[in-house]
Amino acid sequence: DDWPCLVICPKSLCGTWRGELQRWLPPDELEDRGMHVCVNTKESIDTAPQGVIVMSYEIAARRAAELRSFNFQMIIADESHNLKSADSQRTKAIMPLMQSARRALLLSGTPLPSRPA
């Protein structure tokens, strides 16, 4: 079972993720488990999420310690090139969260160079 699921993406894509999840997940799945789109750092999150939480990289980085306690089974990082610098505060906050999940899926539309330096 891959629930609960966390989707981390740029803030501008949170609404897109909501729409695509509603489009592609079975309606009874979303109805039973629920979906929450977190739009600011002060917004409360269900203490025991069962479904999907969508949030921006900034919010996930600021709330990483809290999110680790939710035991996410699946974490999706859209536009994962936002985590490319191992020294950034964002990456240092989010990577342990991703490593604690049963599954982590990193998505990026940024092409890799054919001849890395």
Side-chain angles (χ1 to χ4, degrees):
D1 194 24
D2 291 327
W3 300 100
C5 175
L6 173 64
V7 176
I8 305 170
C9 60
K11 185 177 182 179
S12 62
L13 294 178
C14 287
T16 301
W17 269 97
R18 176 198 329 242
E20 292 302 314
L21 289 166
Q22 289 171 332
R23 178 179 174 191
W24 292 102
L25 288 178
D28 58 325
E29 191 80 36
L30 277 179
E31 191 175 304
D32 291 346
R33 296 185 184 276
M35 177 174 45
H36 179 78
V37 178
C38 188
V39 294
N40 65 55
T41 56
K42 296 177 181 162
E43 190 173 341
S44 67
I45 299 173
D46 186 355
T47 56
Q50 299 298 311
V52 182
I53 296 177
V54 179
M55 65 178 50
S56 70
Y57 279 97
E58 292 76 20
I59 294 173
R62 289 186 183 150
R63 298 180 78 167
E66 175 189 5
L67 293 170
R68 275 194 290 277
S69 69
F70 294 152
N71 194 28
F72 289 104
Q73 297 299 300
M74 171 73 129
I75 298 179
I76 301 169
D78 191 10
E79 302 294 340
S80 61
H81 57 270
N82 285 291
L83 300 172
K84 67 183 176 184
S85 174
D87 296 328
S88 75
Q89 294 292 354
R90 175 187 295 164
T91 302
K92 287 179 181 178
I94 293 175
M95 285 310 292
L97 174 64
M98 295 195 68
Q99 290 168 337
S100 70
R102 183 171 160 217
R103 299 180 198 278
L105 180 62
L106 285 78
L107 306 173
S108 182
T110 303
L112 294 174
S114 59
R115 294 183 190 160

